[in-house]
Amino acid sequence: MKKLFFPIFLVLILLGFNAAALKKIEGTVTEIGHKKPITGVRVSNISGSKQVWTDKDGHYVILLENGDQELCFDKSGYLSQRLSIVKKTILNVQMSLGMEQHEPIMNEISIINQSAQANASNMVLTKGPQKTIMIRGLASPNYGQKKYDSHLGMGMNIIGHYGNTESYAAIAENTFLAPNKTPLSTFSIDVDGAAYSNIRRYLNNGGLPPKDAVRIEEMVNYFDYDYPQPSGADPVNILTEIATAPWNPQHKLVKIALQAKKIQTNRLPAANLVFLIDVSGSMAQPNKLPLLVSSFKLLTDQLRPEDRVAIVVYAGRSALVLPSTPGSATTTIKDALNKLEAGGATAGGQGLEMAYKVAAENFIKKGNNRVILATDGDFNVGLSSDKEMETLIEEKRKSGIFLTVLGYGMGNIKDSKMETLANKGNGNYAYIDNITEARKVLINEFGGTLFTVAKDVKLQVEFNPSKVQTYRLIGYENRLLEDKDFNDDRKDAGEMGAGHTVTAFYEIIPYGVKSSFTPSIDPLKYQENKILGSNSSSPEMLTVKLRYKQPDGDKSKLLQKAVLDTSFPFSGASDNFRFAAAVAEFGLLLRQSEFKQGANFAQVIRLAQDAQGKDTEGYRAEFIKLVKSTALLAKDLLSIENTNKFNEKK
């Protein structure tokens, strides 16, 4: 036992992980009487600040603060439980079916005695008069508190409760391609950072994110990089750097970066903003509407007298709660925000139509005209299909009204829908998991979030087959374009706001390096099998081409830069390069990528620490702490997964 303890203790010390501050609880949830695993049970501490869901085998692993004394177990159709975890590391739970299972489920609801209403958010089952009962059945579309006498008598309230219905678009990772067959790589840029803050929420709650929630390009682009500003008339410039790949030193890593021109806030054009706020029943949680209101108050404090703000809300219907008001009227704007309450269905399409109408009525020529949609992403009444909303947004962006999307909350996030809406609306998408993130997006990055300096920004990279055996774009899977789209000005692409940076990595297998990722293809019978040697006369590895349009323009401009084939060790690369590569490596691990090769958590931590550099806001330090805790969590989950596979074989 002593021999085992010391290596584990040493690992924790090397990771810099404060084991005394956290404790791990794991177990299996089954159905009572049948021992059938229950999938999708929400396991959380009392406050709900840490929560995970059971997997297909009913297993869960959660990291908690030492002060946490109890765990809650909730799932639609089952009686909730609240159990002590004092002096426990393993907690197996049996749950019994709840009431009224014969009725169709439209919403999970909780019947709570009025005296226990203060604890309603915990959704727990306790003894005595403060009992909470989870039932299934038809729920009123008004998801706020409603009188409900037919089950338990007078004085009972219904509190809406939502299961885990988060959705993410499937990602098929980019593979290695041979430049003699596929010489061009074309994609739209992405400045969003939503994926990083979303997976941070998962990890801070003690669980790993779904693989498809991990978009590596958004993780990399979440962070600030100290790139040189554009020096000419163009609002964006191209920067490149090459070094060995940290997860495979035989491969090279090429960084292609863009830097948009910074503009002082007081020099930004006047803004015509419409806050489009989701006040449906699903927003009645502390990390949704209350956090949303606090976020918009921060934004309100950044407004100038020449800026204007209107507020449109939507639930069962949409309404204009504040007509267009000067930015100097901060008290009026904040009073309108303070009066918002959640309840009702989600007529998101109707809200979009009204918001765009208000923005058009107050349009500022040469100004920043924008709708800012804040929601958990659920649209289920009226104009709700993705295609209908995309068509509306595409139509409105032509008039110069852009769209920014801010996501809030957990358990109900419609990530793929929100990202799509922002892309179609010539805007960006951010996920707000706490007030610190709201400050980052709406204060620190105010210009980049709300003012576009270049639209429809596309990149196309041509590779020299005499230098590059195969290449792989890391991330950007949902931003890929056909090669012909690069010169087609009708094709939509990403936008860059003032001061925004974009970073993309290509992993290169140099000519002559043996690799399992290089496809083995028999020689062609009817065509010449031409092999280019590495001694080609051209010293260039690749050429980067960029197209962009002015925010109010329709014709693109071309920029390009040739990149010489060089060989630098990873340790000699810039801090920007090394830190961004560490973030990309972390993404490979979270995705359990088939291309992760020698990637590991210890290396990510070391690389990030060595390249932390200037970290004024502490985002990089936070990243390092996040990787440390994830390393321990991933090890535990892998151990459970291996045990399950062993049991299945038996």
Side-chain angles (χ1 to χ4, degrees):
M1 184 70 180
K2 290 181 179 179
K3 290 181 180 179
L4 178 64
F5 172 77
F6 182 76
I8 293 176
F9 178 76
L10 181 60
V11 169
L12 293 176
I13 291 297
L14 289 174
L15 289 177
F17 187 80
N18 185 2
L22 294 174
K23 58 184 174 184
K24 181 194 69 171
I25 305 294
E26 61 183 278
T28 303
V29 182
T30 56
E31 189 174 300
I32 194 167
H34 302 284
K35 294 188 177 180
K36 173 186 173 183
I38 307 176
T39 302
V41 176
R42 185 177 74 121
V43 184
S44 66
N45 59 0
I46 297 301
S47 68
S49 62
K50 304 284 186 181
Q51 56 182 313
V52 297
W53 283 264
T54 54
D55 64 17
K56 62 181 176 64
D57 299 309
H59 292 291
Y60 71 91
V61 175
I62 187 169
L63 293 179
L64 301 167
E65 302 292 336
N66 264 340
D68 289 321
Q69 302 291 311
E70 294 177 306
L71 273 184
C72 299
F73 296 82
D74 300 317
K75 181 175 172 66
S76 172
Y78 292 86
L79 294 179
S80 296
Q81 295 190 44
R82 188 168 93 182
L83 301 173
S84 171
I85 54 173
V86 177
K87 297 182 180 179
K88 291 181 180 178
T89 57
I90 297 178
L91 181 59
N92 297 320
V93 179
Q94 290 187 324
M95 298 182 72
S96 57
L97 290 167
M99 301 165 55
E100 300 184 10
Q101 296 153 56
H102 62 280
E103 295 186 19
I105 182 168
M106 288 182 64
N107 182 49
E108 183 179 344
I109 60 176
S110 175
I111 309 297
I112 302 176
N113 188 297
Q114 276 188 327
S115 63
Q117 188 171 328
N119 296 320
S121 62
N122 295 333
M123 296 306 212
V124 297
L125 179 61
T126 59
K127 297 179 180 179
Q130 296 187 356
K131 181 159 54 174
T132 299
I133 302 175
M134 304 302 296
I135 70 172
R136 295 180 73 177
L138 296 174
S140 164
N142 295 315
Y143 297 127
Q145 298 181 6
K146 297 281 290 184
K147 293 294 182 183
Y148 193 71
D149 304 327
S150 60
H151 283 282
L152 301 177
M154 297 295 291
M156 297 298 176
N157 291 314
I158 297 177
I159 306 295
H161 179 65
Y162 298 80
N164 184 16
T165 60
E166 298 187 8
S167 63
Y168 300 91
I171 295 176
E173 280 193 287
N174 294 327
T175 60
F176 280 95
L177 301 172
N180 59 335
K181 301 293 184 183
T182 312
L184 299 175
S185 174
T186 309
F187 64 99
S188 163
I189 61 97
D190 186 2
V191 297
D192 296 341
Y196 178 80
S197 53
N198 188 33
I199 66 171
R200 178 181 63 197
R201 181 256 301 185
Y202 268 97
L203 297 171
N204 284 337
N205 284 341
L208 294 176
K211 288 173 61 176
D212 289 329
V214 181
R215 296 188 291 273
I216 295 178
E217 71 279 7
E218 293 188 22
M219 295 177 63
V220 171
N221 286 322
Y222 177 87
F223 297 94
D224 293 327
Y225 301 101
D226 187 22
Y227 296 144
Q229 284 289 300
S231 57
D234 296 302
V236 60
N237 60 356
I238 304 171
L239 306 152
T240 60
E241 191 173 359
I242 303 175
T244 55
W247 49 82
N248 188 337
Q250 288 189 303
H251 295 184
K252 293 183 179 182
L253 207 56
V254 177
K255 183 190 74 175
I256 298 173
L258 308 179
Q259 172 69 61
K261 179 172 58 178
K262 293 180 180 179
I263 302 177
Q264 296 290 334
T265 300
N266 59 6
R267 296 179 57 193
L268 291 172
N272 162 37
L273 305 178
V274 178
F275 297 168
L276 175 56
I277 299 176
D278 182 351
V279 293
S280 62
S282 64
M283 296 293 289
Q285 297 177 25
N287 61 354
K288 292 189 178 181
L289 188 58
L291 176 59
L292 184 158
V293 169
S294 298
S295 303
F296 277 84
K297 286 181 181 178
L298 292 177
L299 176 55
T300 299
D301 288 333
Q302 303 305 303
L303 300 177
R304 305 158 300 175
E306 61 267 33
D307 299 325
R308 301 191 68 83
V309 172
I311 301 178
V312 173
V313 299
Y314 66 91
R317 61 185 181 85
S318 58
L320 177 65
V321 298
L322 180 72
S324 189
T325 302
S328 55
T330 54
T331 301
T332 301
I333 299 170
K334 289 181 179 180
D335 284 347
L337 291 168
N338 287 333
K339 293 175 182 176
L340 300 182
E341 296 180 356
T346 320
Q350 187 184 91
L352 276 171
E353 289 180 310
M354 178 175 284
Y356 276 116
K357 181 175 181 293
V358 172
E361 290 171 348
N362 298 279
F363 192 87
I364 299 176
K365 192 174 182 180
K366 297 290 185 180
N368 174 22
N369 299 278
R370 186 175 297 264
V371 172
I372 305 176
L373 168 60
T375 176
D376 61 5
D378 207 5
F379 297 82
N380 54 34
V381 174
L383 184 68
S384 60
S385 78
D386 288 357
K387 188 60 181 175
E388 285 178 298
M389 285 188 287
E390 289 173 25
T391 300
L392 171 67
I393 292 168
E394 287 175 331
E395 195 175 292
K396 297 300 181 181
R397 79 179 183 215
K398 295 175 184 176
S399 67
I401 301 173
F402 294 172
L403 176 70
T404 289
V405 180
L406 305 179
Y408 288 84
M410 63 181 70
N412 197 42
I413 286 291
K414 302 296 181 286
D415 176 83
S416 56
K417 182 175 291 187
M418 291 192 287
E419 184 187 27
T420 297
L421 296 182
N423 291 346
K424 298 296 183 181
N426 278 5
N428 48 356
Y429 164 42
Y431 175 76
I432 310 294
D433 57 337
N434 54 49
I435 196 64
T436 302
E437 184 65 17
R439 181 175 177 272
K440 177 181 186 291
V441 173
L442 298 175
I443 295 182
N444 297 354
E445 300 172 357
F446 178 79
T449 300
L450 298 180
F451 184 69
T452 299
V453 296
K455 72 176 183 180
D456 292 339
V457 182
K458 311 169 191 174
L459 281 171
Q460 186 170 78
V461 182
E462 180 181 355
F463 294 90
N464 181 355
S466 70
K467 304 295 184 183
V468 178
Q469 185 175 190
T470 55
Y471 65 87
R472 186 178 91 87
L473 174 61
I474 300 176
Y476 293 91
E477 285 86 358
N478 61 357
R479 300 286 183 148
L480 299 180
L481 298 173
E482 294 186 38
D483 294 339
K484 64 181 181 180
D485 293 336
F486 183 72
N487 293 322
D488 186 353
D489 283 346
R490 297 169 299 178
K491 188 67 178 180
D492 182 50
E495 278 63 47
M496 293 192 71
H500 265 159
T501 61
V502 171
T503 301
F505 281 113
Y506 280 95
E507 183 173 356
I508 303 293
I509 301 179
Y511 188 88
V513 173
K514 292 184 178 180
S515 172
S516 60
F517 297 121
T518 302
S520 176
I521 302 173
D522 291 339
L524 298 176
K525 182 178 179 180
Y526 302 108
Q527 296 183 39
E528 181 182 359
N529 293 283
K530 188 176 181 181
I531 299 177
L532 295 175
S534 59
N535 59 351
S536 170
S537 59
S538 175
E540 298 173 1
M541 173 187 282
L542 55 89
T543 296
V544 182
K545 295 188 290 184
L546 176 148
R547 282 195 177 275
Y548 78 91
K549 299 174 188 171
Q550 293 292 339
D552 57 352
D554 296 318
K555 187 174 178 58
S556 67
K557 181 176 180 180
L558 174 66
L559 304 178
Q560 56 184 331
K561 180 177 183 178
V563 180
L564 300 180
D565 183 23
T566 56
S567 182
F568 288 104
F570 184 83
S571 59
S574 66
D575 285 352
N576 287 329
F577 186 104
R578 289 182 290 123
F579 187 85
V583 177
E585 184 172 344
F586 186 45
L588 293 174
L589 292 168
L590 289 178
R591 284 199 56 80
Q592 301 173 51
S593 170
E594 64 175 296
F595 304 105
K596 65 180 183 294
Q597 302 164 77
N600 61 82
F601 289 109
Q603 178 171 262
V604 172
I605 294 166
R606 177 176 55 81
L607 297 181
Q609 287 176 331
D610 290 345
Q612 186 171 344
K614 185 179 178 181
D615 187 26
T616 306
E617 298 293 337
Y619 301 135
R620 296 189 177 193
E622 179 194 57
F623 170 78
I624 294 167
K625 292 178 182 177
L626 195 66
V627 181
K628 289 178 180 178
S629 60
T630 305
L632 185 60
L633 179 63
K635 177 183 176 183
D636 293 329
L637 291 177
L638 181 60
S639 175
I640 290 174
E641 182 181 338
N642 290 337
T643 301
N644 291 340
K645 290 179 180 178
F646 177 75
N647 291 335
E648 288 173 3
K649 289 180 180 178
K650 290 176 65 179

